[in-house]
């Protein structure tokens, strides 16, 4: 199938049309054959002409982005950071978010859609085949032109902006900015019985608003335009102003307030600079509001993934209900979008369409992309099919997100004994952009096709966390060696099943716990003469907002689940014994759902030794993110961020300077390949990997119950007991796993 992409930075505003496999269909998704998709003249065009300077300014002005860049430099070094920045600047990005078509396939959790049914969808790019989640797809009544239904997302944005204004029948609303969203705002407000005033500098946009029935249209560059609005409203001002314009000038927001009546409402839909004159708040008591996307549910992972909905009686107008309402307005003729359509372009002519919108050469405001009736429905696209070369180790990748692109891929390509085979991901988007240069055999959205490749000796599983169990199981069935990024699994029941599967059908299975492979960790082990009595491991991370993906109950599972195995494994390695018991505690208030846990402490008891792990959101600029202190008899070793090691004994030994850091990513892959080749290696074994995972789940159980967990009893219980009630396979009240990869 064909899909349109952009680059992060391209001052000429170029787009690309790439051939991709049909996207993976998740249980909460609908597969749609697109007929039309709408180009957003504001959002999309604004993203097409960024320059490097603009990106730098954006990064410098955003405290969160500044901190992220700094932490990346400290954690990975300048070279890795530069590589990641270059990747971010050049990797094709999905563009588009509004379209309409017919249903091809329905996810297993969904009901109410039929094959061949006409639907409109949001939050999915310009593609022949789309896979929107259930809360982003709505039915289109028979007789509605799919060209009109393709306006659904922009219509939802306009509706939400009007809802934020709390308009009542007969009130007067000004729409400041008569681009695509503004035109729809005006039409929807008219359909709702409001009096509408339009404000724009574009004569053609103003004329379109007049023809739609807008009562007064003014040009803000003309003198006395505000007086015309005030005269029209009996000198009171409009009841509400919807700002759909985008500008760095503070004139727009202040003008919007000045034409709004006292105690009126101003709603910002576009982007404007908020340098507001105090008199507009103090004297006029204007209520300033923002409208975010197209309704409640925006940016809520559970809602946008389709795992949950908000009760109708509590949240009347969600994202999906706003989309449905727009389609209803179009179907009844209350809102007409036909006059807005300035051109329909074939997907192969997408560049022409974007150029026409940007240059404002269209006879209308909107441009649509159309798609053929016979799309390519392959889920696997061959790139360079071939038998594996003799003497090579064939490695395939499941998941192709930033971690793979920034870390694993450069390390694999540097290994002469490795031959890259297939790449599987949810959409194939990242893979398609680099597949030819990598020389891979195929890209696919079907993991079974990858596993059936006879040239694949081992697979790197770097997919989204909830998918790990399924992909490990498929690899075991195919008797492939497995390298899985942490966490091994996110559910205790899945770990139980893996323990049993590995007893019945063992393969090479290792976990991506790279810290044990760091050169300075090996140096530390060499410097310590006797047994280790105590390890203290302190991890001070930056604060994460509650909506970060790692704290999502399904996507991430909390910081203990998503990261705890790293720290536990390193303690086990340094002490060199199996722990006997585990105690876990939440630092601060224990969350109601431990899958959202942020801060924790874990105590590991060994025969004659102890390890303490503290993970806390207390990161400070000059403090190492990870500090490891190891006590042996007569020796104390301190390792900071895997870049600086100090060992106190008969004399003080220092290693590393703190600038060049290696956290073992290259070394772990080298050991994985050596294990596949049957050569001597130091690969983390299944027994060691499963021990780290066992301890992680035991720590979570200890936090849940408040008791110390005996590890031998805990493991025996996993192998013999039925699943605990809160760990049994549940109906989809919490949702099914996410797609193959989060790219």
């Amino acid at each position: 199938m064909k899909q349109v992409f952009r680059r992060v930075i391209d001052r000429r505003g170029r787009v690309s049309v790439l051939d991709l496999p049909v996207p993976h269909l998740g249980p909460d998704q609908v597969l749609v054959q697109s007929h039309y998709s709408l180009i957003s003249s504001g959002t999309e065009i604004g993203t097409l002409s960024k320059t490097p300077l603009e990106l730098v300014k954006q990064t410098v002005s955003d405290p969160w982005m500044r901190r992220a860049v700094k932490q990346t430099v400290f954690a990975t070094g300048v070279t890795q950071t530069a590589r990641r920045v270059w990747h971010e600047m050049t990797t094709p990005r999905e563009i588009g978010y509004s379209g309409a078509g017919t249903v091809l396939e329905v996810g297993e959790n969904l009901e109410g859609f039929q094959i061949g049914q006409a639907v409109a969808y949001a939050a999915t790019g310009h593609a022949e085949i789309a896979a929107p989640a259930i809360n982003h797809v709505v039915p289109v009544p028979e007789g509605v032109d799919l060209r009109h239904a393709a306006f659904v997302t922009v219509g939802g944005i306009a509706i939400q902006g009007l809802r934020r204004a709390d308009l009542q029948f007969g009130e007067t609303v000004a729409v400041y900015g008569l681009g695509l969203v503004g035109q729809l705002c005006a039409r929807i407000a008219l359909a709702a019985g409001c009096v509408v005033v339009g404000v724009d500098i574009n004569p053609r946009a103003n004329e379109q608003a007049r023809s739609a029935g807008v009562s007064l249209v003014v040009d803000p560059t003309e003198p006395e335009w505000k007086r015309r609005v005030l005269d029209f409203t009996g000198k009171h001002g409009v009841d509400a102003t919807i700002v759909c314009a985008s500008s760095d000038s503070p004139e727009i927001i202040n003008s919007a307030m000045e034409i709004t009546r006292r105690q009126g409402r101003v709603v910002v839909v576009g982007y404007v600079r908020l340098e507001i004159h105090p008199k507009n708040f103090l004297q006029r008591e204007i209520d300033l509001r923002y409208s975010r996307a197209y309704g409640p549910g925006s940016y809520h992972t559970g809602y946008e993934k389709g795992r949950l909905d908000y009760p109708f009686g509590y949240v009347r107008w969600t994202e999906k209900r706003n989309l449905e309402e727009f389609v209803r307005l179009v179907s009844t003729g209350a809102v007409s979008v036909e006059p807005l359509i300035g051109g329909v372009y074939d997907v192969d002519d997408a560049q022409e369409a974007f150029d026409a919108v940007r240059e404002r050469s269209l006879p209308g405001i909107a441009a649509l992309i159309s798609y053929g009736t016979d799309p390519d429905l392959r889920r696997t696209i061959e790139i360079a099919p071939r038998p594996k070369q003799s003497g090579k180790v064939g490695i395939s990748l499941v998941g192709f997100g930033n971690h793979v692109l920034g870390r694993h891929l450069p390390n694999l390509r540097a290994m002469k004994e490795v031959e890259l085979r297939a790449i599987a991901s949810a959409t194939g988007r990242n893979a398609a952009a680099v597949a030819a240069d990598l020389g891979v055999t195929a890209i696919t959205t079907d993991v079974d096709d990858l596993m059936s490749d006879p040239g694949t000796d081992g697979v790197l599983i770097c997919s989204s966390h909830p998918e790990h169990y399924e992909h490990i199981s498929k690899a075991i069935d195919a008797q492939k060696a497995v390298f899985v990024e942490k966490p091994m699994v996110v559910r205790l029941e899945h770990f139980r099943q893996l323990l049993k599967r590995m007893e019945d059908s063992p393969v090479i299975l290792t976990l991506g716990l790279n810290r044990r492979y760091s050169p300075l960790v090996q140096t530390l082990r060499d410097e310590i003469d006797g047994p280790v009595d105590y390890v203290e491991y302190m991890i001070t991370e930056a604060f994460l907002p509650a909506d970060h993906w790692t704290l999502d109950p399904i996507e991430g599972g909390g910081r203990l689940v998503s990261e705890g195995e790293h720290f536990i494994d390193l303690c086990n390695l340094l002490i060199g014994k199996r722990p006997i018991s585990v105690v876990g505690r939440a630092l601060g208030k224990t969350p109601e759902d431990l899958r959202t846990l942020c801060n924790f402490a874990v105590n590991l008891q060994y025969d004659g030794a102890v390890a303490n792990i503290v993970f806390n959101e207390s990161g400070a600029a000059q403090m190492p993110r990870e500090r490891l202190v190891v006590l042996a008899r007569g020796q104390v070793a301190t390792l900071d961020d895997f870049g600086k090691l100090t060992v106190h004994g008969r004399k003080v030994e220092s290693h590393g300077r703190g600038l060049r850091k290696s956290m073992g990513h290259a070394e772990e892959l080298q050991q994985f390949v050596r294990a596949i080749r049957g050569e001597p290696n130091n690969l983390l074994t299944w027994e060691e990997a499963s021990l780290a995972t066992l301890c992680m789940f035991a720590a979570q159980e200890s936090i849940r119950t408040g008791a110390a967990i005996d590890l031998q009893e805990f493991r025996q219980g996993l192998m013999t007991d039925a699943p605990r009630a809160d760990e049994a396979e549940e109906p989809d009240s919490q949702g099914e796993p996410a797609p193959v990869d989060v790219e």
Side-chain angles (χ1 to χ4, degrees):
M1 69 153 200
K2 297 177 180 179
Q3 185 166 353
V4 181
F5 292 92
R6 65 171 178 87
R7 297 204 308 171
V8 171
I9 291 178
D10 191 327
R11 65 183 63 192
R12 287 183 285 177
R14 293 172 297 183
V15 298
S16 301
V17 180
L18 302 180
D19 288 320
L20 301 182
V22 170
H24 169 80
L25 179 67
D28 299 303
Q29 292 175 294
V30 179
L31 207 63
V32 178
Q33 179 179 333
S34 300
H35 290 213
Y36 301 97
S37 60
L38 175 72
I39 295 176
S40 170
S41 56
T43 303
E44 294 178 54
I45 298 302
T47 65
L48 283 178
S49 56
K50 286 184 179 179
T51 66
L53 180 59
E54 288 173 335
L55 190 64
V56 170
K57 287 181 178 179
Q58 179 181 338
T59 302
V60 170
S61 64
D62 188 328
W64 189 92
M65 294 181 70
R66 289 200 307 269
R67 184 167 59 248
V69 171
K70 180 185 290 187
Q71 289 179 343
T72 303
V73 172
F74 286 155
T76 66
V78 175
T79 301
Q80 286 280 12
T81 302
R83 182 182 295 156
R84 182 168 181 178
V85 170
W86 177 251
H87 158 68
E88 290 293 327
M89 291 171 60
T90 58
T91 298
R93 301 291 179 178
E94 186 176 89
I95 189 170
Y97 55 76
S98 188
T102 51
V103 174
L104 287 175
E105 194 175 343
V106 179
E108 62 186 38
N109 290 344
L110 307 186
E111 297 178 354
F113 288 98
Q114 304 296 324
I115 305 302
Q117 180 181 3
V119 294
Y121 60 82
T124 304
H126 300 295
E128 283 188 295
I129 307 297
I134 181 59
N135 287 334
H136 290 149
V137 58
V138 298
V140 174
E142 186 176 350
V144 174
D145 191 330
L146 288 180
R147 295 181 308 136
H148 302 164
F151 282 74
V152 62
T153 307
V154 183
I157 293 170
I159 286 177
Q160 178 62 13
L162 293 167
R163 293 199 193 285
R164 291 286 292 149
D166 286 335
L167 290 167
Q168 299 184 36
F169 180 83
E171 286 193 318
T172 301
V173 57
V175 180
Y176 200 135
L178 293 172
L180 184 54
V181 174
Q183 294 285 343
L184 290 175
C185 267
R187 285 162 167 77
I188 295 167
L190 288 169
C194 294
V195 178
V196 180
V197 173
V199 183
D200 203 289
I201 61 174
N202 187 332
R204 189 167 57 184
N206 289 343
E207 184 54 39
Q208 283 189 318
R210 287 192 191 94
S211 64
V214 172
S215 301
L216 174 68
V217 179
V218 295
D219 183 340
T221 64
E222 295 178 353
E224 302 296 322
W225 72 273
K226 297 175 192 174
R227 179 175 176 177
R228 290 182 61 197
V229 175
L230 294 174
D231 286 345
F232 178 77
T233 59
K235 303 191 185 303
H236 297 296
V238 298
D239 296 290
T241 298
I242 314 295
V243 179
C244 299
S246 293
S247 173
D248 286 330
S249 171
E251 174 64 24
I252 290 179
I253 190 65
N254 285 289
S255 294
M257 289 187 162
E258 289 164 11
I259 64 171
T260 304
R261 68 168 172 84
R262 294 178 185 276
Q263 297 189 337
R265 292 89 65 195
V266 172
V267 177
V268 179
V269 176
Y271 169 81
V272 291
R273 181 177 295 179
L274 296 182
E275 292 181 7
I276 302 170
H277 196 288
K279 70 176 183 180
N280 290 319
F281 275 139
L282 178 63
Q283 298 177 9
R284 304 179 64 80
E285 293 187 308
I286 297 294
D287 189 354
L288 178 64
R289 307 174 184 182
Y290 262 89
S291 178
R292 186 176 67 173
Y294 35 103
S298 297
Y299 309 108
H300 179 186
T301 301
Y303 183 91
E304 296 207 322
K305 293 286 187 181
R307 299 197 303 261
L308 56 86
D309 194 6
Y310 304 148
F312 187 94
Y314 292 89
V315 184
R316 175 62 182 91
W317 295 105
T318 58
E319 281 189 341
K320 182 169 184 173
R321 291 167 198 146
N322 278 338
L323 300 177
E324 290 173 333
E325 176 61 12
F326 178 76
V327 172
R328 186 193 71 81
L329 290 171
V330 171
S331 70
T332 61
V335 171
S336 174
V337 298
E338 181 65 33
L340 301 177
I341 299 175
V344 179
Y345 298 81
D346 185 85
V347 63
D348 289 324
D349 301 321
Q351 185 66 63
E352 184 181 344
F354 279 95
D355 289 344
V357 174
R358 184 175 58 251
E359 296 165 4
R360 298 185 177 181
S361 60
L362 290 168
I365 285 181
L368 295 166
I369 295 177
S370 66
Y371 304 89
T373 58
D374 188 24
D376 185 348
L377 297 179
R378 290 178 296 168
R379 296 186 184 274
T380 299
I381 295 180
E382 293 185 341
I383 305 299
R386 62 188 183 276
K388 186 186 68 175
Q389 293 183 39
S390 176
K392 296 279 189 176
V393 174
I395 299 293
S396 289
L397 304 169
V398 179
F400 204 64
N402 289 335
H403 189 68
V404 174
L405 284 160
R407 291 193 182 280
H408 290 328
L409 195 56
N411 291 329
L412 287 171
R413 297 184 73 180
M415 299 170 66
K416 295 181 180 180
E417 64 269 39
V418 168
E419 178 180 318
L420 291 174
R421 301 292 295 178
I423 299 173
S425 65
T427 66
R429 179 172 64 242
N430 284 347
V434 297
D437 291 338
L438 295 177
V440 299
T441 57
I443 58 174
T444 183
T445 56
D446 188 338
V447 174
D448 290 331
D449 279 1
L450 179 147
M451 296 297 178
S452 66
D453 172 31
T456 294
D457 300 305
V459 293
L460 262 63
I461 297 174
C462 308
S463 50
S464 59
H465 294 176
E467 287 287 302
H468 285 184
Y469 173 71
E470 176 188 350
H471 297 152
I472 293 172
S473 297
K474 289 179 181 291
I476 293 174
D477 290 340
Q479 287 295 286
K480 308 292 187 185
V482 181
F483 176 107
V484 58
E485 271 298 345
K486 54 84 187 168
M488 183 182 295
V489 291
V490 295
R491 297 184 60 179
L492 184 59
E493 174 58 24
H494 288 163
F495 181 55
R496 181 201 313 273
Q497 295 299 328
L498 271 186
L499 289 173
K500 294 179 179 179
R501 295 206 63 176
M502 284 295 288
E503 283 189 348
D504 299 335
S505 183
V507 297
I508 295 174
L509 200 166
T510 192
L511 190 57
L513 305 180
N514 53 279
R515 285 159 172 78
R516 65 163 38 223
Y517 301 98
S518 170
L520 282 185
V521 169
Q522 184 58 50
T523 302
L524 188 159
R525 296 178 70 196
D526 293 340
E527 291 284 345
I528 297 295
D529 295 331
V532 172
D533 296 325
Y534 178 74
V535 173
E536 182 168 294
Y537 199 160
M538 183 171 64
I539 305 95
T540 56
E541 287 284 358
F543 174 82
L544 284 183
D547 59 355
H548 192 272
W549 71 270
T550 58
L551 304 181
D552 180 84
I554 304 300
E555 296 290 327
R559 303 302 290 271
L560 173 59
V561 169
S562 62
E563 301 188 54
E565 290 154 310
H566 268 314
F567 320 125
I568 291 169
D569 173 67
L570 193 49
C571 291
N572 291 344
L573 176 71
L574 293 171
I575 290 178
K577 300 177 182 179
R578 290 183 63 89
I580 298 169
S581 65
V582 175
V583 175
R585 291 292 182 267
L587 301 179
K589 183 179 180 181
T590 304
E592 294 181 1
D593 189 336
L594 289 182
R595 296 175 301 177
T596 64
L597 182 68
C598 294
N599 303 302
F600 59 85
V602 175
N603 173 267
L604 300 166
Q605 296 282 339
Y606 304 81
D607 181 12
V610 174
N612 280 320
I613 300 166
V614 174
F615 185 103
N616 191 259
E617 294 179 324
S618 54
Q622 304 304 318
M623 180 69 189
R625 290 177 65 188
E626 297 187 29
R627 169 165 286 178
L628 192 68
V629 179
V630 179
L631 305 186
R633 292 161 198 180
Q635 291 178 294
V636 178
T638 303
L639 177 60
D640 285 340
D641 280 339
F642 303 92
K644 185 177 181 180
L645 171 66
T646 304
V647 181
H648 293 262
R650 294 186 182 90
K651 58 181 180 177
V652 179
E653 298 282 350
S654 296
H655 305 270
R657 297 181 179 179
L659 295 177
R660 297 188 62 185
K661 303 173 183 178
S662 173
M663 296 186 70
H665 291 98
E667 291 82 358
E668 66 180 348
L669 290 179
Q670 291 167 358
Q671 297 304 315
F672 180 55
V673 171
R674 290 176 65 86
I676 294 174
R677 294 168 67 94
E679 299 172 352
N681 64 84
N682 296 315
L683 184 69
L684 174 74
T685 65
W686 162 249
E687 288 74 19
E688 293 167 322
S690 60
L691 176 61
T693 303
L694 179 75
C695 292
M696 178 269 289
F697 279 119
Q700 189 178 53
E701 181 73 2
S702 177
I703 295 172
R704 189 181 73 86
T705 62
I709 304 298
D710 182 287
L711 285 174
Q712 184 174 356
E713 292 179 1
F714 188 60
R715 191 181 191 282
Q716 289 175 346
L718 289 177
M719 302 300 289
T720 58
D721 293 348
R724 205 178 65 220
D726 60 340
E727 275 295 339
E729 294 289 347
E730 307 160 2
D732 202 40
S733 59
Q734 296 177 1
E736 286 296 318
V740 173
D741 187 25
V742 180
E743 290 186 342

